[in-house]
Amino acid sequence: MSERSVSKSREQKRWYTVLAPEQFDRQELGETLAEEPQQVVGRTITTTLDQLTGDSNANNTKLTFKITDVGSDSAYTEFIKYELTRDYLRSLVRRGASKVEASITVLTTDDYRIRVQPVALTTKKADRSQEKAIRRVMIDKVHAAAEERTFEAFLDAIVDGNLSSAIYGDAKEIYPLRRVEVQKLTLEARPREVAAEEEASVDVDADEVAVDE
């Protein structure tokens, strides 16, 4: 392609300002270039939490957003992933101590299915039964948080550190802990997708009953 063709193609494109969801005050996340608005939908953009909150201590947390809608010159997003940076996670690990992890899938009160991955770091090496008990606390606390919170409120509990603190408070009674973090949260399904899965499951069950009869 000639330089003139490349220049003309670029001129036909336009920049869209990518905005965070209302939960993050529609802050500007960046810009994306496209010829048509529909080409923007589905794109993702990742930023660090400190860029949204102004808290320099939050630069170890990454948030990923997905563009779901486009206006005249703005692209609107939804949150899809929260995760700690690998460097930060590595810095938490100490030789001779235990790292207890869990992966828990839960449904919030407004029917968002999310996968939550907390991690607990002990001061010294815990035995297997202690690690199992700490993991049980993680699972119970995550389920309890989801049962009483919307998706947005659940995310707030992670960003604010409230869920980590709740896990720490109970798990430290089992074995001394140095730190508890939620290392990742991933949006797996939205309410309409969960409803569609449930409807499909009901249809399959009905078909199986009909066959048995």
Side-chain angles (χ1 to χ4, degrees):
M1 185 181 292
S2 68
E3 291 184 7
R4 179 177 297 180
S5 297
V6 171
S7 177
K8 184 176 181 180
S9 175
R10 192 173 184 83
E11 287 176 0
Q12 292 174 343
K13 295 182 179 180
R14 60 185 301 179
W15 287 100
Y16 295 88
T17 301
V18 183
L19 303 176
E22 289 184 11
Q23 183 177 5
F24 295 97
D25 301 322
R26 294 291 190 198
Q27 293 188 60
E28 185 174 331
L29 299 174
E31 292 183 313
T32 188
L33 187 65
E35 292 181 0
E36 301 292 339
Q38 60 267 28
Q39 294 176 338
V40 176
V41 176
R43 292 181 183 178
T44 60
I45 186 167
T46 300
T47 188
T48 53
L49 183 58
D50 65 313
Q51 295 296 314
L52 294 176
T53 64
D55 180 3
S56 59
N57 294 322
N59 64 342
N60 295 311
T61 302
K62 297 189 296 182
L63 300 176
T64 301
F65 300 90
K66 183 177 181 179
I67 297 174
T68 57
D69 193 20
V70 182
S72 59
D73 57 2
S74 297
Y76 302 96
T77 63
E78 68 173 353
F79 164 88
I80 59 171
K81 186 164 63 174
Y82 165 108
E83 61 183 328
L84 300 180
T85 63
R86 291 182 181 179
D87 288 345
Y88 177 64
L89 286 171
R90 279 196 294 265
S91 74
L92 297 178
V93 179
R94 297 288 185 273
R95 183 176 298 178
S98 295
K99 178 183 179 183
V100 185
E101 300 175 287
S103 182
I104 310 141
T105 299
V106 292
L107 204 64
T108 60
T109 59
D110 50 352
D111 290 336
Y112 281 83
R113 189 171 70 235
I114 54 179
R115 183 159 57 93
V116 188
Q117 295 172 265
V119 58
L121 293 306
T122 63
T123 56
K124 295 180 180 180
K125 183 66 177 177
D127 63 34
R128 184 170 297 180
S129 64
Q130 290 166 331
E131 291 182 359
K132 183 177 180 180
I134 291 171
R135 188 172 293 108
R136 184 73 257 170
V137 169
M138 290 178 174
I139 294 170
D140 290 345
K141 286 295 183 182
V142 169
H143 275 284
E147 287 170 2
E148 61 185 25
R149 287 177 173 85
T150 63
F151 173 55
E152 186 173 311
F154 191 99
L155 179 57
D156 283 341
I158 290 181
V159 171
D160 296 340
N162 293 335
L163 180 55
S164 296
S165 296
I167 294 172
Y168 181 91
D170 281 8
K172 71 178 182 180
E173 302 299 325
I174 299 167
Y175 195 85
L177 298 179
R178 191 164 52 80
R179 197 166 186 86
V180 173
E181 297 273 9
V182 174
Q183 57 183 331
K184 185 181 289 187
L185 179 152
T186 308
L187 172 62
E188 291 195 336
R190 300 152 191 82
R192 62 181 180 277
E193 295 163 339
V194 171
E197 290 173 0
E198 291 178 350
E199 184 177 344
S201 176
V202 170
D203 289 343
V204 169
D205 291 343
D207 289 342
E208 290 177 351
V209 170
V211 170
D212 290 340
E213 292 176 349

